[in-house]
Amino acid sequence: DGQVPTKAIKDPFTTDPVPDERLHILTAKPCNAESPGEALSEFCTPNETFYVRNHMWVPSVEEQEHNLVIELCDGTEKTYSMSDLRNRFKQHKVTATLQCAGNRRKDMTKHARQTNGLQWTVGAISTAEWEGVKLRDVLADTGVNLNNPSPDDKHAQFLGLEAYGASIPLCKAIDPSGDVLLALKMNGDTLPREHGFPLRVIVPGNVAARSVKWLRKVVISDEESTTQWQRRDYKSFGPNDTRPDWDAAKSIQEMPVTSAITSILNGFAVAEGTEKGLNVEGYAYSGGGREIVRVDVSTDGGKTWDQAELLDDKAMGTKAWCWKRWRYALGESAEGKTTLMVKATDEAYNTQPQSYSSIYNARGNLATAWHSVDIKSLDKGTD
Amino acid sequence: DGQVPTKAIKDPFTTDPVPDERLHILTAKPCNAESPGEALSEFCTPNETFYVRNHMWVPSVEEQEHNLVIELCDGTEKTYSMSDLRNRFKQHKVTATLQCAGNRRKDMTKHARQTNGLQWTVGAISTAEWEGVKLRDVLADTGVNLNNPSPDDKHAQFLGLEAYGASIPLCKAIDPSGDVLLALKMNGDTLPREHGFPLRVIVPGNVAARSVKWLRKVVISDEESTTQWQRRDYKSFGPNDTRPDWDAAKSIQEMPVTSAITSILNGFAVAEGTEKGLNVEGYAYSGGGREIVRVDVSTDGGKTWDQAELLDDKAMGTKAWCWKRWRYALGESAEGKTTLMVKATDEAYNTQPQSYSSIYNARGNLATAWHSVDIKSLDKGTD
Ligand SMILES: [Mo]
Ligand SMILES: [Mo]
């Protein structure tokens, strides 16, 4: 009838890229999808199977039309085109793991009780080599005094093209060892649209929610971002806290130490007696650039532990921003055992909590308890 | 008979200061003594009851005779008198908690199994306001390029007058936010002899074993201190690790999150039914300047938790280098309950392990499991 179909115009998701079919889709609009086990077995996750965590639609933008605005406390504003960023500043590469605050939330739900949020298993985490310019270099160009910032310069707020926003403390943004990047490339390629094309801020060591995609503006401020993602969603409370004091709680930035088994899923079936020949793999990760120093594996429910082999992957960056992959070959002692359990320790010797009940929070954030996988033995007999 | 008593001459401990009688002495030679409960209830521990952890005797030295030598990788050496440090550099105050790697080791022994080392309870930790010069300022004066150190400058080794030595990564030593101090004063007074007079390096956020007393030399090196305290004693291994690979293990620097009840001891007796009126106090602490964001208390063995009040103490320094004191008033629900349990969470949302068995190590380091205290009910009846 010649009319424009209203629904198609109003739905901002229609131009979202089609997600790779190997991803495990949790929601389509917005797109939220886990990395599959095979992607988690590589040190750098391929762009196609890097987990996707979007709060809204994927903006459509041409690189030539996109600018980054930086606004300082005194009102100074400076605008940078993508070619300014590419040509006027030194380019850096940083390898960094990004992890959603809700990674492994499904485990918390299963082992404790109901949580509000996407029910991720172990795949809301991925690693890439990011390439771009250091945020501190651009801030210095705009006029921030890196050695002696004004006392009002407390937070760097990030605004995306859709409406998403978040912030980090300015000290992280300008720390020479902080490696905060304005990334134009991911694993050597142009940033894919669903990962923030044409510009994403990468905050290594912090919860991925601070690595804002489709970055259009950075505001230096005396207060945190006022969005719900800064002031509400990405916080955590005590197991009993039914009336949380949002304002008093610190927003999640650096993440606690965690680990997971990725090579086999819960309920993995092996022929009876062959569990002792199983090779198990997974990752361990800690926030703040703290390196993983040990991964312990148990086949007897945590009574005794053995150590997994840590893989010696090479990363770019000043601190340990990446997950540590690990490998463990089950031996004779695993015969007849049906549960594999893993926990990691980082260089500050922090370790994971044993139970989900002790860290339960209604939002299901930071589900970092010991990870376990049950193996199902296929009886060779008549059953 | 006119002979000099050989024993007195050869015993280097004879000139050790007499420890305050309120301290709980574990060993006399060397002096190792815990802070008593009443000292742990103050934010800044009085000098007299600050815990003492000495590996050898207390050197006797006159301030005018003492010098600090700084040696760089290229062989450059520069010598500073105490009056140089006092007059040529800006003086700074930093409030910092020091904690022994073995604090609460006795708990690990009790709840897991035998450990080698001083059997500290909850008092191998104290807090003071330290005053002196920033190590980075002195290193810059000696010739270290703070903004672009040579690739060989990896560690700052500290040597004491007796024989003790340890090191920290150079990046911590020169970090403007690291607050590493060459301290001449403690809580406003001259550094007491047993705490390092006339000069102690204070490394906020790191295990106290790196805050070397009676500091005579700093060596910038491409390797860690070669002492046993750097390469052996202050490391940690898996619960099963009976043949530890010392060289592969990272030495302890930043400490994991911990907490303790200090106002009542294990076995504290209350008249039956009055446990519900008890006020409990304690501390929580995390390494690396990570702030304590929450302290959870349980009276039912960890099934449910409530939050303690965190005291708002004021400290000097760029990060949260101090313990957080907490307070909790037991209510009606505590009636008849006999065990108090505490665990803390820091700003990276790391939390304490539940069991000692999961973090057991033969050296008994980093005994940070949930702390519990049993209350004994005094039956008002005939028993
Ligand atoms: Mo997230
Ligand atoms: Mo210690």
Side-chain angles (χ1 to χ4, degrees), chain B residues 333-346:
Chain B
S333 66
E335 179 156 5
K337 299 292 169 56
T338 55
T339 299
L340 288 182
M341 210 168 236
V342 67
K343 68 178 171 83
T345 301
D346 72 15

Side-chain angles (χ1 to χ4, degrees), chain B residues 105-159:
Chain B
R105 179 180 285 128
K106 193 175 181 177
D107 268 356
M108 187 182 277
T109 304
K110 180 181 164 190
H111 295 281
R113 54 190 198 274
Q114 200 205 321
T115 58
N116 303 321
L118 296 161
Q119 298 297 305
W120 302 105
T121 70
V122 299
I125 182 170
S126 296
T127 299
E129 182 196 282
W130 310 93
E131 190 176 342
V133 302
K134 292 222 166 158
L135 174 58
R136 70 191 301 270
D137 292 348
V138 182
L139 291 178
D141 183 80
T142 316
V144 173
N145 182 339
L146 298 185
N147 291 315
N148 193 18
S150 135
D152 286 342
D153 296 354
K154 288 184 188 147
H155 303 274
Q157 302 181 352
F158 305 126
L159 283 80

Side-chain angles (χ1 to χ4, degrees), chain B residues 32 51 53 55 99-103 105 118 120 124 164 207-210 234 363 365:
Chain B
N32 285 293
Y51 87 100
R53 179 23 178 156
H55 294 81
Q99 182 184 218
C100 179
N103 192 30
R105 179 180 285 128
L118 296 161
W120 302 105
Y164 187 81
V207 61
R210 311 305 171 209
Y234 293 103
R363 200 59 187 71
N365 284 327

Side-chain angles (χ1 to χ4, degrees), chain A residues 115-128:
Chain A
T115 59
N116 302 321
L118 297 161
Q119 299 296 305
W120 302 105
T121 68
V122 299
I125 182 171
S126 297
T127 300

Side-chain angles (χ1 to χ4, degrees), chain A residues 33 72 290 328:
Chain A
L72 306 187
R290 286 180 284 284
Y328 186 74

